[in-house]
Amino acid sequence: MSEAIQLSRRLFLKSSAVAGGGFALAATFPMAARANAAAGPSQLSAFITINADDTITIVGKNPEIGQGIKTMLPMLIAEELDADWDSVSVEQADTNAAKYGPQLAGGSFATPMNWIPMRQAGAAARAMLLSAAAQRWGVSVSSLATEPGRVVEKSGSRSASFGELAADAALMDVPDPATLKLKDQADFRIIGRAIGGVDSPKVVRGEPIFGVDTQLPGMVYAAFERSPVFGASLVSADLDAAKAQPGVIDAFTIDAAPQVELTQGVAVIADNWWLANKARAALSPQWDNGEWAEHSSAGYAQAAQEAWAAGSSDEVFAEKGDADAAFAEADKVLEAEYSYPFLAHAAMEPMNCTALMHEDGTMEMWAPSQTPQGGQAAVAGYLGLEPSQVTVHITRMGGGFGRRLNNDYMVQAAAIAKQMPGTPVNLIWSREDDVRSDFYRPAGWHKLRAALNAEGKITGWADHFVTFDLGDGQFNPAVMDADEFPAKYVDNLHFEQTKMQTAVPMGALRAPRSNAIAYVMQSFLDEVAHATGKDLPTLMLELTDGVEAEPPAEGFMGPQPGFSAPRLQAVTRKVMQMADWATPSPDGRARGFGFYYSHMGYFAEVVEASLDDRNNPVVHNVWAAGDVGRQIINPFGALNQVEGSIIDGIGQAMQLAVEIEGGAVKQSNFHNYPLPRMPMTPQIHVEWVLSDNDPTGLGEPALPPVIPALTNALFALTGKRVRSLPIDTSLFA
């Protein structure tokens, strides 16, 4: 996700023969490195193999965490190749920056980065097959066409399968991508078709495709004991007692390496994981908890109150007009405090990694990582190797949600395997490890104010945001954008923030930042709407009425569309129509609205909710209107992403929170960190608004608006505002 990378629309291609009379096509895309031009371009590669038996193998270059990218990217290639999808098999790539360029599952980058290059790879292979047929038959390429899996003469006199032409095609010149004409949208056969995940049958059958399933000859298992208090250091541990436990092979300490996110701890090695994990109790570790042992969620919340009471902040990070004058002259001033907790990722597959230090000093790993190249670099740096000396096989992941963007567990596995050369080591975290050793979605506190004139127009907007100082890293999930909606649509603005110190590690979690910020801003805007006798969708439409789309802005992937008020308006009007917004809800129910723009996707949602006999919220219906461009590549995968995001958002709103007590996480497993259960799942209705923009990927933009839509529905039902998450049901008693 480096801003030093820019995807080029150019493409280098190279063909080669393969055994059995087929050919392989490597598609290499130069990547300009802005940060260090002398280092040369990075490369993005896709591989197509066509066999003599008409089977086609397409390499899925990116990690798969359940978002469907291992299916979607090969669909782009197969479309332009004019392949018969039933003849296509997909293989997972290993980590290789030289071949594949950036390999990551994060930030919703896969679609915009690969929309053109993957199609060019398929189109180039199709052109080579056409050239091979033209040469064989002594005709012009213009007299030929393709049908699924075949080259045909337009006259209808001859045809040949791709497999029959594969050996000849391998000898053809690779075309210049600039000469390739990609298909028109109206001619798509594969793009836009609902296709199940290529791994889904294996998942259903329980085949061992996940990282935790890795099995190697002579493999041993490792558990890792670290301090429950963040930032603590090890004083002592009874290694001999652990070694004396049944099945234990060894136990040894691992020193911290903060530069690669490796915490200090004790590794216990056994011939099965259950025994290794059980033997940890015999360690009886003693820790020096240091200054962080006094930190708590309650303490952070109190510090936020003190910062607001002091009336000053660390910095003003956005200012426009004269906010002080706007509030002084306002006919009405609204003020509210909102907060949200830390969240854990709690992926179904806990963190794990298998590592083998070879006798020659090189490392081989099997890693369920969202950023395997980052893990490769971290392990290489830790071991003093070159990245090329660390082989990383990418495994399927049982969820990630941003947790596996950090590769601490990979470095842990490498540190343990370093002590056992020649022996493969499978490191597996317990569920308690996973919940208590996360990179959490940051908690945050907002003191918001809105100035209104006599006509109910917003004349001033202010927020004192209390968050955490996470240093100057490339991505900080604990900050807020200076142009956070509705900043661009008010004349007088004042955003300030106070940053607290902490040892709690934090990272991206499903639509990082926006899943929290959407709740705050859309809830407070709902307060503004009600104070002026409107509803929130009406206010949103009024704020953006007549505003043109912003021009494209330069991003690390090249020019990216600017924020579009017309697209906001389109999804807002669409979801109001879907939910029949103007019609009253059935007795005992109410509806709420929420909108958010995230990862270049626009989503407006309406939630219909009620309260049960115990005052617990019940969500009956969620209507979602989304705009992620002019083309949904795989409707099946897109629907899965939207539905999953909405269900997760409801869980976040109603029952998920990580609490810090004594410098450690209080929660430990699903009994006190309860994920959404099937009975919580509402009816979800999804429709797309297709705009004239290239596909931008889905990521998680469907999650942020569902939370304020739910809390706004509860206000409409009860007249009580939910200003802190998760929802406290005693509010409705």
Side-chain angles (χ1 to χ4, degrees), residues 493-718:
L493 176 75
H494 182 84
F495 281 170
E496 59 186 318
Q497 62 188 7
T498 297
K499 293 183 177 180
M500 298 182 288
Q501 297 297 314
T502 184
V504 177
M506 300 179 211
L509 186 151
R510 297 197 83 153
R513 303 176 183 167
S514 56
N515 54 8
I517 303 297
Y519 156 65
V520 170
M521 294 301 176
Q522 288 286 293
S523 296
F524 190 53
L525 279 168
D526 193 61
E527 294 198 48
V528 172
H530 281 273
T532 58
K534 304 175 182 129
D535 58 27
L536 180 54
T538 299
L539 176 62
M540 297 288 288
L541 293 172
E542 288 181 356
L543 279 171
T544 56
D545 184 44
V547 180
E548 295 183 357
E550 297 173 6
E554 188 68 21
F556 83 93
M557 293 180 290
Q560 299 175 18
F563 181 76
S564 171
R567 295 175 75 178
L568 176 157
Q569 294 232 339
V571 293
T572 298
R573 295 184 190 281
K574 181 67 174 178
V575 83
M576 292 172 71
Q577 175 190 3
M578 292 168 61
D580 199 8
W581 180 260
T583 301
S585 297
D587 289 344
R589 299 185 183 185
R591 299 192 194 106
F593 171 87
F595 165 84
Y596 211 68
Y597 167 72
S598 172
H599 295 78
M600 296 186 285
Y602 300 74
F603 273 82
E605 297 178 19
V606 172
V607 166
E608 183 178 65
S610 67
L611 296 176
D612 66 14
D613 293 340
R614 297 183 179 181
N615 293 318
N616 294 310
V618 178
V619 180
H620 301 281
N621 287 282
V622 177
W623 294 271
D627 175 359
V628 292
R630 68 169 178 260
Q631 177 66 61
I632 304 297
I633 296 169
N634 185 354
F636 181 80
L639 182 63
N640 285 345
Q641 288 195 62
V642 172
E643 291 178 337
S645 293
I646 288 171
I647 293 167
D648 200 5
I650 292 171
Q652 290 182 18
M654 293 175 60
Q655 59 194 38
L656 292 182
V658 162
E659 300 170 85
I660 305 298
E661 286 187 0
V665 171
K666 179 180 177 181
Q667 285 66 34
S668 60
N669 210 314
F670 294 148
H671 70 286
N672 56 9
Y673 195 75
L675 299 184
R677 300 289 182 173
M678 290 179 67
M680 293 173 58
T681 304
Q683 292 290 319
I684 299 175
H685 319 267
V686 181
E687 293 190 26
W688 301 105
V689 177
L690 302 178
S691 58
D692 189 21
N693 289 269
D694 280 348
T696 54
L698 288 167
E700 315 294 351
L703 188 157
V706 76
I707 300 174
L710 170 56
T711 58
N712 292 340
L714 294 174
F715 172 77
L717 183 68
T718 67

Side-chain angles (χ1 to χ4, degrees), residues 3 45 109 124 133 191 231 237 241 368 388 561 660 662:
E3 294 189 14
S45 305
F109 298 143
I191 295 175
S388 60
I660 305 298

Side-chain angles (χ1 to χ4, degrees), residues 82 126 130 141-147 150-154:
D82 220 2
R126 176 178 175 273
L130 287 167
V141 170
S142 62
S143 69
L144 304 177
T146 56
E147 295 175 351
R150 301 189 70 82
V151 175
V152 299
E153 278 194 288
K154 294 177 182 178

Side-chain angles (χ1 to χ4, degrees), residues 209-226:
I209 64 173
F210 296 94
V212 75
D213 298 324
T214 302
Q215 294 285 329
L216 298 171
M219 188 171 76
V220 297
Y221 293 84
F224 189 78
E225 179 78 7
R226 50 137 289 193

